[in-house]
């Protein structure tokens, strides 16, 4: 997706754990040909690969705290250097602190780019613990499921790809989710004000049905594309 200024479109999804950032980012990426960049996924990859960044991040992630800006920025920069991101990006789980937001602004400015839109997924905290504690994904294709809200048609078999290996994140337990929610409110929620002040923020109520929320988000991105093309 390009625009008149001919720079790739960059979006941010904000919201607490369980708000649906990952699910919605995947759907938007598919619909608009953008690349989903999840710092959580990048860090989990680093942990699995046993890199120095992964070793430093592992224990912090297990207790639900935020990994240092230095490590997160390093894994993000490495990912941004890969050619596929030229299509435009959806940042999911980054930035999470004001310092990260400022570093991102500087990083993008250096590339002649900027953040075009920030979508804040607005949810009830209390429901997030149940949502996150019951979720799991297909190891093969990443399709998301939930013990109570979305089970596959045949137990243990992915509806989308037929895969039979399901995985749960180590930090998706009730205790860690509480710490992650606290980190969100203390460190990340101020970013809603940060981006509102820059005029790039849209708020989307995100307690409802996934498809309806996705439509609302697609409309925001489509309007952005039109606005940029006629700018
Ligand atoms: P997520 O997959 O976005 O829920 O992230 C899982 C965990 O990775 C978080 O609880 C943090 O420990 C770490 N993490 C992911 N993104 C960031 C970030 N931008 N800044 C700091 N820590 C992060």
């Amino acid at each position: 997706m390009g625009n008149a200024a001919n720079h790739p479109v960059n979006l941010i999804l904000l919201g607490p754990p369980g708000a649906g950032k990952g699910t919605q980012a995947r759907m938007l990426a598919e619909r608009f040909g953008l690349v989903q960049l999840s710092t959580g996924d990048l860090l989990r990859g680093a942990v699995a690969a046993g890199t120095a960044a992964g070793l430093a991040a592992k224990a912090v992630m297990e207790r639900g705290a935020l990994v240092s800006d230095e490590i997160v920025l390093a894994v993000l920069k490495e990912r941004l250097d890969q050619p596929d991101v030229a299509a435009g990006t959806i940042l999911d789980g980054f930035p999470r602190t004001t310092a990260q937001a400022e570093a991102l602004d500087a990083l993008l400015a250096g590339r002649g780019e900027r953040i075009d839109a920030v979508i804040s997924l607005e949810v009830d905290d209390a429901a997030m613990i149940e949502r996150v504690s019951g979720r799991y994904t297909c190891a093969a294709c990443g399709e998301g499921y939930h013990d109570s809200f979305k089970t596959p048609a045949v137990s243990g078999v992915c509806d989308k790809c037929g895969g039979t290996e399901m995985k749960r994140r180590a930090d998706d337990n009730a205790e860690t989710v509480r710490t992650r929610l606290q980190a969100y409110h203390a460190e990340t929620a101020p970013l809603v004000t940060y981006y509102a002040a820059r005029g790039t923020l849209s708020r989307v109520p995100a307690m409802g049905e996934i498809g309806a929320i996705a439509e609302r988000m697609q409309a925001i991105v489509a309007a952005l594309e039109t606005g940029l093309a006629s700018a």
Side-chain angles (χ1 to χ4, degrees), residues 43 45-56 75:
L43 290 167
V47 170
T51 65
L55 289 175
V75 295

Short mmCIF file of all heavy atoms in Angstrom, two decimals, residues 43 45-56 75:
data_model
loop_
_atom_site.label_atom_id
_atom_site.label_comp_id
_atom_site.label_asym_id
_atom_site.label_seq_id
_atom_site.Cartn_x
_atom_site.Cartn_y
_atom_site.Cartn_z
N LEU A 43 10.68 -11.10 20.09
CA LEU A 43 11.38 -11.49 21.32
C LEU A 43 11.22 -12.98 21.60
O LEU A 43 12.18 -13.64 22.00
CB LEU A 43 10.85 -10.67 22.51
CG LEU A 43 11.24 -9.18 22.50
CD1 LEU A 43 10.40 -8.40 23.52
CD2 LEU A 43 12.73 -9.00 22.79
N GLY A 45 10.89 -15.22 19.37
CA GLY A 45 11.81 -15.84 18.41
C GLY A 45 13.23 -15.81 18.92
O GLY A 45 13.97 -16.79 18.81
N ALA A 46 13.63 -14.68 19.53
CA ALA A 46 14.99 -14.54 20.06
C ALA A 46 15.21 -15.50 21.23
O ALA A 46 16.28 -16.10 21.38
CB ALA A 46 15.25 -13.09 20.48
N VAL A 47 14.16 -15.66 22.06
CA VAL A 47 14.26 -16.59 23.20
C VAL A 47 14.43 -18.02 22.67
O VAL A 47 15.32 -18.76 23.10
CB VAL A 47 13.00 -16.51 24.11
CG1 VAL A 47 13.00 -17.63 25.14
CG2 VAL A 47 12.92 -15.15 24.80
N ALA A 48 13.60 -18.38 21.67
CA ALA A 48 13.65 -19.74 21.12
C ALA A 48 15.00 -20.00 20.45
O ALA A 48 15.53 -21.11 20.52
CB ALA A 48 12.51 -19.94 20.12
N ALA A 49 15.55 -18.96 19.81
CA ALA A 49 16.83 -19.13 19.10
C ALA A 49 18.02 -19.06 20.06
O ALA A 49 19.15 -19.37 19.68
CB ALA A 49 16.97 -18.05 18.03
N GLY A 50 17.76 -18.63 21.31
CA GLY A 50 18.85 -18.57 22.29
C GLY A 50 19.87 -17.47 22.01
O GLY A 50 21.03 -17.57 22.41
N THR A 51 19.45 -16.39 21.34
CA THR A 51 20.38 -15.28 21.09
C THR A 51 20.64 -14.53 22.40
O THR A 51 19.93 -14.72 23.39
CB THR A 51 19.79 -14.27 20.08
OG1 THR A 51 18.64 -13.67 20.70
CG2 THR A 51 19.39 -14.93 18.77
N ALA A 52 21.64 -13.62 22.38
CA ALA A 52 21.95 -12.85 23.59
C ALA A 52 20.73 -12.04 24.03
O ALA A 52 20.40 -11.98 25.22
CB ALA A 52 23.14 -11.92 23.32
N ALA A 53 20.03 -11.43 23.05
CA ALA A 53 18.84 -10.65 23.39
C ALA A 53 17.77 -11.56 24.00
O ALA A 53 17.12 -11.20 24.99
CB ALA A 53 18.29 -9.97 22.13
N GLY A 54 17.61 -12.74 23.44
CA GLY A 54 16.62 -13.70 23.94
C GLY A 54 16.94 -14.14 25.37
O GLY A 54 16.05 -14.22 26.22
N LEU A 55 18.22 -14.40 25.63
CA LEU A 55 18.61 -14.83 26.98
C LEU A 55 18.32 -13.74 28.00
O LEU A 55 17.86 -14.00 29.11
CB LEU A 55 20.10 -15.19 27.01
CG LEU A 55 20.48 -16.48 26.28
CD1 LEU A 55 22.00 -16.67 26.26
CD2 LEU A 55 19.80 -17.68 26.95
N ALA A 56 18.56 -12.48 27.59
CA ALA A 56 18.33 -11.36 28.51
C ALA A 56 16.83 -11.12 28.72
O ALA A 56 16.41 -10.70 29.79
CB ALA A 56 18.99 -10.10 27.96
N VAL A 75 16.00 -5.50 18.44
CA VAL A 75 15.34 -6.55 17.63
C VAL A 75 14.44 -5.90 16.58
O VAL A 75 14.32 -6.39 15.46
CB VAL A 75 14.55 -7.60 18.46
CG1 VAL A 75 15.44 -8.42 19.35
CG2 VAL A 75 13.40 -7.01 19.24
#
